[in-house]
Amino acid sequence: MKISEIKNILEADLICGEEFLSNEIFTACGSDMMSDVLAYVKEQAMLLSGLVNPQVVRTAEMMDMKCIVFVRGKQPDADIIELAKERDIVLLRTQFEMFTSCGLLYKNGLKGGCGR
Amino acid sequence: MDPIALHYDVSGTDFTCAGEASGKIKKALKELGFPTSITRNVAIAVYEGEINMVIHGGGGVIDAEITPECISITLTDQGPGIPDVSLAMQEGYSTAPDNVRQLGFGAGMGLPNIKKYTDEMVIETEVGKGTTIKLKVFVK
């Protein structure tokens, strides 16, 4: 699924990374616990989180994740956005809650995975 | 090639900067042409270690030695040490304070994750003196 489709499905605002909207995402992981995310390795994965701090971007960086969606309308500050820009990571913001966001993406064909 | 040595200081007070050293090591490995799976495994393991250093260790130092066959990382802090290493290695066991959990860490996954993503992991720790974690990832 292209990041642009994810943006449409979640009715999300683009915060940064417009040039990467045509990149493909294969799987997604939704969590506010970064250590749980770090246990989850998949190719071309994206992260949905209600947590807003620089460690969300750094976690995505270590995992080679291409896109982060902040749920429940959470807005990252300028430092977080800068960190994402430097790492070529797309940031999106949706008003949907975590459960609804994950459900919408899953229903539209994006798969998750188990962490093992 | 001669081994490449990298050294980083990790602040014990600035949580926002935690991950700087891990990111730099990852970038260096990428530029040296290591496969994605290797750079990612090293990055995740070092990042968890770096986070632990900030949460528990009061900061410390990270040293990396890179050869074509093996990436060796040593994380050293002068923190409180780990009283029971086997307990600390259990998934879900955590001594992190609540404010750390609010930042997305402290789920008791740090050390288990480090072990998961490395080929060798040795913990040397002494209560009141500090902890050294030595990691190896072999390039197969």
Side-chain angles (χ1 to χ4, degrees):
Chain A
M1 185 182 285
K2 286 194 188 330
I3 296 175
S4 55
E5 292 172 71
I6 291 164
K7 178 178 173 292
N8 288 342
I9 290 165
L10 296 178
E11 300 171 28
D13 300 319
L14 175 70
I15 300 169
C16 69
E18 189 172 8
E19 62 271 46
F20 305 114
L21 283 179
S22 58
N23 286 358
E24 288 279 345
I25 296 292
F26 296 155
T27 63
C29 172
S31 182
D32 292 351
M33 290 306 296
M34 293 303 108
S35 279
D36 281 342
V37 178
L38 289 163
Y40 173 94
V41 166
K42 292 275 185 291
E43 292 303 320
Q44 288 179 256
M46 64 171 276
L47 173 63
L48 295 101
S49 188
L51 187 72
V52 183
N53 70 38
Q55 299 310 328
V56 179
V57 176
R58 293 194 192 277
T59 297
E61 174 193 5
M62 303 310 159
M63 306 292 288
D64 295 318
M65 286 173 158
K66 310 290 177 202
C67 177
I68 301 169
V69 178
F70 294 106
V71 299
R72 271 185 292 134
K74 299 270 185 91
Q75 174 64 34
D77 66 22
D79 291 345
I80 298 174
I81 296 169
E82 198 49 44
L83 212 55
K85 280 183 181 166
E86 288 166 9
R87 286 154 182 79
D88 296 342
I89 295 172
V90 179
L91 297 185
L92 299 174
R93 180 186 56 205
T94 178
Q95 298 299 324
F96 290 116
E97 296 171 350
M98 175 70 95
F99 182 80
T100 310
S101 302
C102 294
L104 285 169
L105 292 178
Y106 196 85
K107 192 176 80 176
N108 281 277
L110 193 64
K111 296 300 175 199
C114 86
R116 305 269 168 190
Chain B
M1 106 184 175
D2 289 331
I4 294 170
L6 303 172
H7 174 88
Y8 302 97
D9 293 313
V10 177
S11 160
T13 51
D14 191 354
F15 190 78
T16 58
C17 285
E20 279 284 325
S22 312
K24 284 178 182 161
I25 290 171
K26 182 175 189 191
K27 194 160 174 258
L29 293 176
K30 234 180 196 174
E31 283 169 3
L32 287 165
F34 285 97
T36 307
S37 59
I38 297 286
T39 60
R40 189 162 55 203
N41 287 357
V42 172
I44 296 170
V46 180
Y47 181 53
E48 286 280 20
E50 190 176 353
I51 292 285
N52 272 349
M53 226 176 222
V54 179
I55 296 173
H56 301 288
V61 293
I62 300 177
D63 288 284
E65 194 185 281
I66 303 164
T67 70
E69 297 80 29
C70 179
I71 295 138
S72 307
I73 309 278
T74 306
L75 303 110
T76 309
D77 70 53
Q78 270 83 48
I82 306 169
D84 187 336
V85 172
S86 60
L87 196 57
M89 286 302 299
Q90 284 179 21
E91 282 190 12
Y93 177 80
S94 175
T95 57
D98 281 347
N99 65 330
V100 167
R101 294 210 173 86
Q102 283 158 17
L103 293 167
F105 291 89
M109 293 296 291
L111 291 177
N113 272 352
I114 294 174
K115 189 171 175 62
K116 178 178 169 176
Y117 292 110
T118 54
D119 295 307
E120 276 183 33
M121 174 187 187
V122 177
I123 301 177
E124 293 163 1
T125 185
E126 196 177 337
V127 173
K129 292 254 173 81
T131 300
T132 298
I133 300 183
K134 294 177 179 173
L135 311 173
K136 280 188 201 297
V137 172
F138 297 111
V139 183
K140 287 142 201 150

